[in-house]
Amino acid sequence: MITQAESKKKPLLKVNNLKQHFPIKGGIFGRTVNHVKAVDDISFTIYEGETLSIVGESGCGKSTTGRAILRLDEPTSGSVFFEGQDLLAMSKSQMRNMRKHLQVIFQDPFASLNPRQSVSQILGEALAIQNIVPAGKRRERIIELLGYVGLRPDQIDRFPHEFSGGQRQRIGIARALAMQPKLIICDEAVSALDVSIQAQVLNLLKSLQRQFKLTYLFISHDLGVVRHISDRVMVMYLGKVVEIADKKSLFDNPQHPYTQALLSAIPVPDASKKQERIILRGDVPSPINPPTGCRFHTRCPHAMDRCKTEIPALTSLHDTHQVACHLVQ
Amino acid sequence: MKVEYAPTNQALPPKATTARPGRWRTFYRKLRKNKLAMVGGCIVVFYIAIALLAPLIAPSDPYAIDLVNKLKPPSAEHWMGTDDKGRDVLSRLLYGTRLSMSVGFVSVFIGAFFGIILGLLSGYYGKWVDTIISRVIDVLLAFPGILLSLAIVSALGPSLFNVMVAVGVFSIPVFARIVRGSTLTVKKLEYIDAIRSLGANDFTIIFKHIFPNILSPIIVQATMRLATAILSAAGLSFLGLGAQPPLPEWGAMLSNGRDFLFTAPYLAMFPGLAIATLVLGFNIFGDGLRDALDPRMKQ
């Protein structure tokens, strides 16, 4: 359903019917007794130069989606087209070559850098693996990269433990930039940082996006951060996409009851403004045996009989707003 | 916020000369604080020095038979007496250090080499690779070590080299287990994912990124294993399966001394003491290493 507004933009990454089911082994013979349906049949498109955010609570499959696109975990089924080529159909060595176009920034800046490598080794290795810069010019390039992310040239031979969390995250960003990627997946990239550092790193990501024409898939549970950085937002619940829209439309006019509940949880910095909170009852159901029909019906304040049996399809509300709910159809 | 440090044209800073900051110094400082470990370390260094210097410090030829002076008790001339063929026990003991040490190091090297490779493969690839390797290791572990090496030596024939092979083989599962476990932990860390998403191949990931980060438990295990290997080798030689006469191997000397326990107890006592102190030295040094290297005990 390519609408007029969308057809003008060029799709960079197209995810179709992606499924990621993790087997649960049990019994004495280690047979597969069940599956955790972490991501269950989702489709979406990322357009060149935009920032698409995935939000949702823990366990909704947002990080799994990112890892599946990068084939850090092999997805169960589906296809991921990057510039028209299916990443999931590629051989291991073809995929290794493709990896320079898709980079990732991880959540934990303390775990994402090898503690035994200095900055120059970390970045030098990135350059060496894909042979982006000839060996003789690597050190210059590393210093250039450090400059882009706001680190000093004299920090080049330091080790990760000599940096603060924010600085380490900058090294992680520099490592991703070293590959001159087109798409960067930011997997909770600022969640582990202090709020003040978060803002700095977010602004850095934004300015790098302008400078290098990057496309971001930004995975986060923090709606404030998402509002700051995104062009479009995708809301996930229990392995399914429930709503996907441009930022303004989603924040101003959320359609799905789950999105509404999520947004009502954002604190408002004005005590006099009374805000109606939608409190969701109960826990997220298990992704091993997700509810039939609409996955949200067990906690939805507006659930109808139909929701228990029929899976709502993602339907367009208008040009840039799609939602999967029986209420809006 | 703006990027504070724009790329500058200033000259490239020189490469740092201190390559490993803090890490090894912290480790050394912790080890120094541990008195017992230092004692163990001294014993180990003492024996290594003896092994290296044996020809220089030995008072006489360890193979020179002097039947006139056989079974002499310790004296100024023969500090540890002479054996039933009149050979100087001290000289034999000093030369024996070389044998015990080389048995220890060679067999631990064999065990560690194959154990590390098997452990890395099994931990990194998982699935059927892990299943096969783990089951084979389980089978090897089910045998008591000494029984397994007895079987290997009797199959290959008694010789000191075969003892090294046998002791090495029964060390393989121990290393494989430890390496597999550590690999499982390290491969889940984000920096391994990061390297993978850069497009590194499995060989680079395993040997450049996983292996250096699991060295600590391997070093500790190798030190502890040296003690076991020396003890097992002495045991096999004691049973007549290892070093053959006239080699001055400690286990063989002990076995020989057993026949004269009542008339010349020093014949069994000195090799026994040597084995006991060296094994003890490696063990307490290994304990100290573990305490100093264990990341969970970081200050």
Side-chain angles (χ1 to χ4, degrees):
Chain A
M1 59 188 78
I2 296 171
T3 52
Q4 260 194 333
E6 281 178 350
S7 62
K8 284 179 201 154
K9 295 180 280 181
K10 204 173 141 211
L12 182 69
L13 187 89
K14 236 182 153 95
V15 174
N16 294 325
N17 306 96
L18 185 71
K19 279 187 193 172
Q20 179 66 277
H21 294 183
F22 294 108
I24 306 167
K25 306 271 185 194
I28 37 172
F29 299 110
R31 278 181 310 138
T32 304
V33 290
N34 217 329
H35 287 94
V36 176
K37 299 172 184 75
V39 171
D40 205 9
D41 200 357
I42 66 167
S43 304
F44 61 93
T45 306
I46 305 175
Y47 298 98
E48 227 166 60
E50 74 166 350
T51 302
L52 174 70
S53 290
I54 306 182
V55 290
E57 56 202 303
S58 357
C60 72
K62 50 192 194 303
S63 289
T64 311
T65 306
R67 293 178 61 87
I69 292 171
L70 292 165
R71 282 178 68 179
L72 289 175
D73 301 315
E74 292 293 334
T76 313
S77 66
S79 58
V80 176
F81 285 96
F82 180 80
E83 293 188 317
Q85 290 173 281
D86 188 357
L87 297 180
L88 303 188
M90 285 183 178
S91 71
K92 265 188 138 183
S93 63
Q94 283 176 311
M95 186 61 200
R96 272 203 293 272
N97 285 326
M98 277 311 276
R99 286 190 183 283
K100 59 174 171 282
H101 302 304
L102 300 99
Q103 281 302 299
V104 54
I105 300 166
F106 290 97
Q107 170 172 16
D108 185 353
F110 290 85
S112 61
L113 304 172
N114 186 343
R116 286 170 181 262
Q117 285 188 310
S118 68
V119 174
S120 68
Q121 284 170 323
I122 291 169
L123 299 181
E125 182 164 34
L127 295 172
I129 286 173
Q130 298 283 0
N131 207 8
I132 290 172
V133 180
K137 295 199 168 157
R138 282 190 195 136
R139 214 174 153 80
E140 264 174 81
R141 173 71 178 150
I142 291 167
I143 289 176
E144 194 185 353
L145 286 166
L146 289 180
Y148 292 142
V149 298
L151 292 169
R152 294 194 311 272
D154 62 285
Q155 292 168 320
I156 186 169
D157 285 310
R158 298 220 185 139
F159 284 80
H161 69 256
E162 296 173 80
F163 292 96
S164 68
Q167 287 174 318
R168 283 180 192 216
Q169 202 58 310
R170 286 167 192 264
I171 300 170
I173 295 171
R175 175 172 59 191
L177 280 184
M179 309 303 256
Q180 298 166 338
K182 292 176 179 147
L183 174 74
I184 298 184
I185 297 182
C186 306
D187 187 357
E188 301 272 12
V190 296
S191 309
L193 306 175
D194 290 345
V195 178
S196 56
I197 309 292
Q198 271 190 5
Q200 291 177 11
V201 172
L202 284 176
N203 289 331
L204 172 65
L205 286 173
K206 269 193 156 176
S207 72
L208 292 173
Q209 182 171 38
R210 277 193 299 272
Q211 202 173 347
F212 298 105
K213 299 191 171 50
L214 298 168
T215 306
Y216 288 140
L217 175 62
F218 197 88
I219 298 164
S220 180
H221 63 266
D222 186 333
L223 290 163
V225 167
V226 165
R227 187 173 213 161
H228 183 72
I229 196 155
S230 325
D231 298 311
R232 289 193 306 138
V233 182
M234 177 164 113
V235 184
M236 280 182 79
Y237 181 78
L238 259 186
K240 289 271 190 195
V241 177
V242 298
E243 190 161 4
I244 179 166
D246 64 304
K247 177 173 70 180
K248 195 170 162 17
S249 179
L250 188 105
F251 278 90
D252 294 349
N253 186 21
Q255 290 298 314
H256 198 283
Y258 179 64
T259 314
Q260 291 164 359
L262 269 189
L263 295 183
S264 79
I266 303 176
V268 180
D270 182 358
S272 64
K273 240 188 207 170
K274 202 160 160 74
Q275 194 196 14
E276 199 189 336
R277 279 238 176 135
I278 306 167
I279 309 283
L280 293 179
R281 306 275 167 214
D283 286 325
V284 186
S286 157
I288 299 169
N289 280 311
T292 53
C294 173
R295 295 208 165 167
F296 188 56
H297 83 254
T298 53
R299 302 167 78 195
C300 182
H302 312 292
M304 310 173 285
D305 279 346
R306 187 185 173 196
C307 303
K308 289 176 191 158
T309 51
E310 214 179 303
I311 300 173
L314 207 57
T315 42
S316 285
L317 200 66
H318 54 82
D319 270 6
T320 55
H321 200 141
Q322 288 169 287
V323 61
C325 182
H326 292 309
L327 282 175
V328 290
Q329 279 157 13
Chain B
M1 190 213 74
K2 273 186 194 158
V3 175
E4 298 111 311
Y5 308 105
T8 53
N9 294 329
Q10 83 188 74
L12 306 187
K15 280 208 166 201
T17 42
T18 49
R20 280 261 180 282
R23 191 181 171 85
W24 291 107
R25 210 174 303 151
T26 320
F27 156 71
Y28 185 63
R29 193 158 36 88
K30 267 195 212 164
L31 194 65
R32 280 286 297 273
K33 261 193 227 158
N34 188 340
K35 292 272 167 9
L36 204 58
M38 288 316 284
V39 172
C42 289
I43 295 173
V44 170
V45 170
F46 173 71
Y47 274 105
I48 290 175
I50 286 180
L52 294 174
L53 301 174
L56 299 176
I57 53 177
S60 57
D61 182 354
Y63 299 106
I65 294 173
D66 179 8
L67 289 173
V68 182
N69 286 316
K70 68 175 185 177
L71 292 172
K72 284 278 191 289
S75 64
E77 197 186 345
H78 301 288
W79 290 7
M80 292 183 183
T82 58
D83 68 4
D84 58 322
K85 296 187 180 61
R87 295 172 295 200
D88 182 47
V89 173
L90 175 62
S91 304
R92 288 180 68 74
L93 213 54
L94 294 179
Y95 272 92
T97 315
R98 298 190 137 186
L99 294 177
S100 284
M101 284 288 187
S102 42
V103 172
F105 281 106
V106 171
S107 55
V108 167
F109 178 79
I110 294 172
F113 182 80
F114 291 103
I116 287 168
I117 289 179
L118 289 175
L120 282 170
L121 292 179
S122 136
Y124 183 74
Y125 287 105
K127 296 190 182 150
W128 62 270
V129 180
D130 182 33
T131 311
I132 292 174
I133 294 177
S134 293
R135 287 302 90 77
V136 172
I137 286 168
D138 285 344
V139 170
L140 283 175
L141 274 178
F143 282 101
I146 198 80
L147 204 65
L148 185 65
S149 35
L150 263 177
I152 296 172
V153 174
S154 25
L156 298 176
S159 85
L160 200 58
F161 178 74
N162 289 345
V163 166
M164 296 181 192
V165 173
V167 175
V169 168
F170 92 69
S171 300
I172 291 175
V174 183
F175 282 101
R177 268 280 165 91
I178 286 175
V179 171
R180 175 180 175 271
S182 312
T183 306
L184 285 176
T185 317
V186 173
K187 85 162 178 181
K188 288 203 187 79
L189 294 176
E190 278 182 346
Y191 67 79
I192 300 298
D193 279 338
I195 296 298
R196 265 215 296 159
S197 58
L198 294 177
N201 56 28
D202 291 348
F203 187 86
T204 312
I205 296 173
I206 294 176
F207 291 101
K208 203 168 161 195
H209 294 277
I210 295 181
F211 182 61
N213 284 294
I214 59 170
L215 265 183
S216 305
I218 295 176
I219 292 172
V220 173
Q221 188 58 36
T223 317
M224 305 284 243
R225 212 60 210 169
L226 275 169
T228 319
I230 289 169
L231 199 59
S232 313
L236 287 171
S237 295
F238 182 84
L239 295 173
L241 292 168
Q244 298 302 308
L247 280 181
E249 210 277 338
W250 293 351
M253 288 169 72
L254 191 68
S255 169
N256 186 38
R258 193 188 46 168
D259 298 338
F260 308 96
L261 263 188
F262 291 102
T263 50
Y266 52 88
L267 274 190
M269 193 179 76
F270 290 116
L273 268 179
I275 296 170
T277 46
L278 181 56
V279 169
L280 185 74
F282 271 119
N283 267 329
I284 57 182
F285 184 58
D287 270 340
L289 276 182
R290 185 180 52 208
D291 292 346
L293 284 171
D294 196 337
R296 276 159 300 189
M297 300 188 69
K298 239 182 211 162
Q299 288 158 325

